[in-house]
Every structure is written in C-alpha cells, then in structure tokens.
Amino acid sequence: MDNESITAFLFIEVKARRSGHVVDILEKAYEEILEAAAVYAEIDVITRVTASTARMGKLLLELMQDTICVHNPEHNISDTFEVNAIHPFLVDGSIYWASNVNEINLGDGIFAYVVIEIDEMQGTRSQVLQDLRKCDGVLYSACLVKRAKILTKVKAPNKLAFDNKVMHQIQAIPGVKTT
C-alpha cells in the first residue's frame, strides 16, 4: 500500500508577497511536484503532486511545518514564506488528457485551472469528462475524490479567449453546474 502512487492537487495558502517565487522554490525542492502555479485569487499556489501514499503524507507535513526562504541575488529578492493552510484534493482515478493536447501550442498565452462542480442529477462525471476532452484549449481534467468536482487545466491565448472558452464551452456541457 505504501508504494501505491497517488495524485493530488494541493491548494496552498502562503504568507508571501510574491507567490511566483514560491512556485519556483516548490518545483525545485520537491521532485514529486509535477507542476505548480501562482493563483491570483483566494488561494496563493496550486500544485499537482504524484507520490507514494507514505511520501504524500510526509510531504504534506513538511509543507505545513516549514518556513521556506526565497533568495535570488540576481533580482535583489530575499523573502520567506510560511504555509497558512493546505487544501488537498485527491484525484479519483487518472488524469484525462485532451484528445488534441499534442496540437496545443504551449508557448504564449495564459493557463488556468477551472474547478467544475457537476450537477449529478443532469449528467455523469464520465460524460462531462468526455465532453471536456473535446473543448478547445483543455489540456487535462481530473475527477476529484469529492464526487461532484472536476479540476481542468485550460490554455488560452488571452483572458478574453479564456473567458469565452469557459463561458461558451465548459459551462455549456450538460451536467456542469458551476465553474
């Protein structure tokens, strides 16, 4: 059981003036963190982590107990951050990559994570996942252990295009309650 690999998204609240630097530190400090991004809303950083069940527990404890120093002499930056809270969301199964993910230009543009709440009375998670794979700009989707939630990563050329993708594609999928 300890060797079983699990994936989770960690929503991390930190005390830091520059959450982008926190992202850099986390990606370098932990090989289990496959991606991390600064979030400009109520949560400061989101990470996608894959680790054994034993290592996942240790990683969560390390993040909750440590103050991590951020120092970059090239940019005259010296800072520390403390983790206020971690909200882990385990992935229920696999990450479902979009059917056209290899065709998406990963260069310029914006990336966004979209938390989707499903109206289970209207549609099933599997049907919503299938429909998400067909949406322009969707890189991947993952069902979260909390039954009525899916987390999707989207790529768009700019904020307007992102807003239009969310509004016109994702929210139009039968079974999507809110984003």
Side-chain angles (χ1 to χ4, degrees):
M1 179 79 174
D2 282 349
N3 291 330
E4 181 183 342
S5 181
I6 58 174
T7 298
F9 289 91
L10 306 179
F11 290 66
I12 305 172
E13 295 178 28
V14 296
K15 286 184 182 177
R17 291 187 308 264
R18 301 173 193 92
S19 58
H21 295 294
V22 173
V23 167
D24 292 340
I25 297 299
L26 288 173
E27 286 182 323
K28 292 174 184 162
Y30 298 97
E31 66 184 37
E32 298 89 353
I33 293 180
L34 304 177
E35 65 181 306
V39 179
Y40 302 102
E42 59 275 348
I43 303 294
D44 300 304
V45 175
I46 183 173
T47 65
R48 179 169 53 98
V49 181
T50 297
S52 68
T53 53
R55 178 64 184 137
M56 185 69 76
K58 289 177 185 174
L59 191 138
L60 288 170
L61 284 174
E62 286 175 25
L63 287 172
M64 284 301 296
Q65 295 176 8
D66 281 350
T67 297
I68 298 177
C69 294
V70 177
H71 180 69
N72 185 336
E74 289 179 27
H75 296 99
N76 196 24
I77 295 169
S78 184
D79 206 350
T80 61
F81 77 89
E82 295 175 15
V83 175
N84 288 342
I86 298 177
H87 307 279
F89 292 91
L90 291 175
V91 173
D92 184 12
S94 300
I95 291 182
Y96 300 89
W97 293 90
S99 53
N100 66 342
V101 73
N102 293 330
E103 300 167 15
I104 297 172
N105 177 0
L106 296 179
D108 293 335
I110 64 168
F111 293 88
Y113 294 93
V114 179
V115 178
I116 301 167
E117 187 174 338
I118 299 169
D119 181 354
E120 293 183 295
M121 299 299 284
Q122 282 189 336
T124 65
R125 289 191 321 166
S126 60
Q127 185 59 50
V128 172
L129 282 171
Q130 285 179 6
D131 291 344
L132 284 168
R133 292 181 76 187
K134 299 172 191 171
C135 291
D136 292 336
V138 168
L139 300 174
Y140 63 77
S141 299
C143 291
L144 303 178
V145 169
K146 187 169 179 170
R147 295 288 309 159
K149 296 218 186 263
I150 294 175
L151 189 129
T152 298
K153 186 173 181 181
V154 177
K155 161 78 168 63
N158 53 51
K159 181 153 178 9
L160 180 61
F162 168 74
D163 289 343
N164 287 335
K165 284 182 191 311
V166 171
M167 294 302 291
H168 294 112
Q169 290 184 14
I170 295 174
Q171 291 182 344
I173 295 172
V176 170
K177 186 175 179 181
T178 61
T179 54

